[in-house]
Amino acid sequence: MPKISEMRESRFLKKEDVGAGALATIASCQQFNVAMEGASPEHKWCLTFNELDKPLVLNSTNIQLCAQICGSEDTDDWIRHQIVLYTDPNVSYAGKLVGGIRVRAPKQRPVAKVAPARPVPMRQAVAAAPAEMPELTDDDIPF
């Protein structure tokens, strides 16, 4: 059976939409009217994403986290940066823990390390040379 929170449709991302984590590329930062239909307008800043249909309504914490992740307080610089949206059960609202969406930087994948070439020990290099070198005489030298 579905939970009540899963039964309500929303024009904006909910914690149930992102689950344990969703990698998303920021497409824009713009204001949306978040008021219920028929209520007076209430505009809030939101992020839209290339991979997701719904925008994320930004709160103060997520704004600060995005600025840190993207390395800029100018939201124009956030475009094309990837972030991970995930459900954090420790988000509180009106003094109660209700859970919500948080953002974090994507985890960096470890770069494969290539082992450096091993130097050939001198004994092996000498051993690889021909066993006998012909002895040169003054007649063999062209100068």
Side-chain angles (χ1 to χ4, degrees), residues 41-128:
E42 180 184 357
H43 290 87
K44 294 204 176 207
W45 287 101
C46 299
L47 291 180
T48 61
F49 303 97
N50 295 337
E51 300 84 356
L52 304 171
D53 295 332
K54 298 177 183 180
L56 170 68
V57 179
L58 290 170
N59 59 26
S60 178
T61 302
N62 284 342
I63 289 170
Q64 293 174 51
L65 290 169
C66 284
Q68 185 179 34
I69 293 164
C70 298
S72 176
E73 292 191 6
D74 184 345
T75 59
D76 288 339
D77 297 334
W78 299 3
I79 309 306
R80 291 184 294 282
H81 273 86
Q82 288 191 318
I83 60 174
V84 175
L85 308 169
Y86 67 98
T87 299
D88 181 354
N90 298 312
V91 173
S92 61
Y93 180 76
K96 294 183 180 180
L97 283 177
V98 294
I101 299 174
R102 284 285 184 248
V103 300
R104 68 168 174 80
K107 292 182 179 167
Q108 298 296 321
R109 294 178 187 230
V111 177
K113 293 184 179 179
V114 177
R118 294 186 316 175
V120 177
M122 194 60 160
R123 282 185 235 140
Q124 287 180 358
V126 171

